[in-house]
Amino acid sequence: MTDKTSDGVGNQGLERACSVLWALRKGGVQGLRLIDVARATDLSKATTHRLLASLVQAGLVEQDEETASFYLGFDLYVLGSGAINRFGIAEIAHESMKRIAQQTDDSAFLTVRAGYDAVCVDRVEGGFPIKVLTLDVGDRRPLGAGANGMALLASLPDEETQLVVANNGERFKNYPGLSASRVYEEIEATRRRGYAINNGGVIQGMSAVAVPILTMAGRPSHASIGIAAVTDRMQPERIATIAQWLQAEATRISERIAKMTEGMSEIATERLIASAAGRRVTG
């Protein structure tokens, strides 16, 4: 037996409701009036009004009391959060992670910002016999310690970097040669180069290079990608080449994030990436 709706039989009501939601998505932050939604969906004003009323009641659509315009509702943001968590940052970046590990033969690491920390959310091992596995998935380091953490820290605005360094100052003492003043020097050097380098500052004999993953608008997405290897393999020319490969993959990741979050604000995108952190990927 097929369920009936007030606007038709079977899937017709659902299809019409979806067409209304897609129309409102195109309306963006300006919203759409009832007549605009009806025109965009080729539905009658009466049908459009019934559908909008039902969607408002369900929390999927909101109406501005002053302008009477309709907008996508906050509950759709919540649903979207669940969807992007299904394809979280680790999943989004995993193909890039595998590619960079194959190109370099070294271990690739994906990290995200969590407060004053950098958290490893994915690791892919390269083919070189000597493995540099300085981080496991789920491991945390203070932002600024290690190449991935420095790439994240240096991508932030000055006010945020100062706040992070102030809160992590005591923790930096756990890393050889690292201090607040040294971190500030590395921030400036990282910004000039466009990538972060760690030459044995965390584990002697092991070095790393990393880049931030920025949004398509150039803002920090609070994620970074990097590789780690024995220091003998990390000569200046090779580091520069690896940095170019990392930046290319970071751009690919940014483009995929932008495609999946099209129409969402920068802040909402950042929050979704942060909420998707911590899921391990295999394969």
Side-chain angles (χ1 to χ4, degrees):
M1 182 176 179
T2 304
D3 291 336
K4 295 185 178 182
T5 72
S6 60
D7 295 304
V9 178
N11 293 329
Q12 188 180 47
L14 178 59
E15 291 172 355
R16 288 175 171 178
C18 288
S19 70
V20 169
L21 293 174
W22 278 106
L24 290 175
R25 178 186 176 278
K26 293 179 181 178
V29 295
Q30 289 78 28
L32 293 177
R33 298 171 301 165
L34 171 62
I35 191 171
D36 298 323
V37 178
R39 186 180 298 117
T41 56
D42 289 327
L43 298 172
S44 69
K45 288 178 64 176
T47 297
T48 303
H49 182 269
R50 287 196 300 272
L51 289 168
L52 284 168
S54 296
L55 291 168
V56 168
Q57 186 175 8
L60 302 180
V61 170
E62 296 175 0
Q63 184 178 24
D64 186 288
E65 293 182 359
E66 294 185 4
T67 66
S69 293
F70 292 90
Y71 306 82
L72 293 178
F74 183 77
D75 282 358
L76 278 176
Y77 169 86
V78 177
L79 291 174
S81 177
I84 199 169
N85 281 340
R86 170 65 179 84
F87 300 98
I89 184 64
E91 284 86 352
I92 292 171
H94 194 59
E95 287 303 314
S96 286
M97 291 281 290
K98 291 196 294 186
R99 216 167 10 245
I100 204 69
Q102 290 169 356
Q103 282 179 307
T104 63
D105 270 339
D106 294 311
S107 301
F109 297 88
L110 178 71
T111 62
V112 298
R113 180 187 178 187
Y116 302 126
D117 290 347
V119 182
C120 178
V121 294
D122 194 17
R123 183 183 76 188
V124 177
E125 298 175 21
F128 191 70
I130 303 176
K131 309 294 185 185
V132 176
L133 306 177
T134 54
L135 288 170
D136 290 324
V137 172
D139 283 354
R140 288 173 174 256
R141 283 183 183 157
L143 281 173
N148 276 74
M150 175 54 66
L152 283 169
L153 182 59
S155 72
L156 300 175
D158 287 342
E159 289 185 3
E160 283 193 70
T161 61
Q162 292 167 8
L163 181 62
V164 170
V165 173
N167 278 273
N168 285 343
E170 287 299 314
R171 301 172 68 196
F172 290 148
K173 296 178 182 178
N174 296 322
Y175 299 87
L178 200 60
S179 64
S181 60
R182 179 62 177 166
V183 168
Y184 279 123
E185 291 174 4
E186 287 300 318
I187 289 172
E188 293 304 316
T190 298
R191 288 172 174 174
R192 286 195 303 270
R193 286 189 301 258
Y195 53 91
I197 300 174
N198 172 34
N199 285 318
V202 176
I203 299 177
Q204 190 173 5
M206 299 180 182
S207 299
V209 57
V211 302
I213 299 169
L214 304 176
T215 69
M216 297 307 294
R219 291 183 55 182
S221 72
H222 300 300
S224 66
I225 184 172
I227 69 102
V230 293
T231 299
D232 289 345
R233 287 171 56 75
M234 299 293 274
Q235 302 305 316
E237 289 185 3
R238 186 168 188 265
I239 286 176
T241 299
I242 290 172
Q244 291 179 347
W245 292 342
L246 287 169
Q247 287 164 343
E249 295 302 335
T251 298
R252 289 189 179 99
I253 296 167
S254 298
E255 289 171 347
R256 191 171 180 202
I257 292 172
K259 184 176 181 180
M260 294 180 68
T261 59
E262 186 178 357
M264 300 181 82
S265 70
E266 293 277 341
I267 294 175
T269 299
E270 293 167 10
R271 288 170 65 184
L272 288 179
I273 290 170
S275 71
R279 299 183 61 199
R280 182 156 192 166
V281 180
T282 58

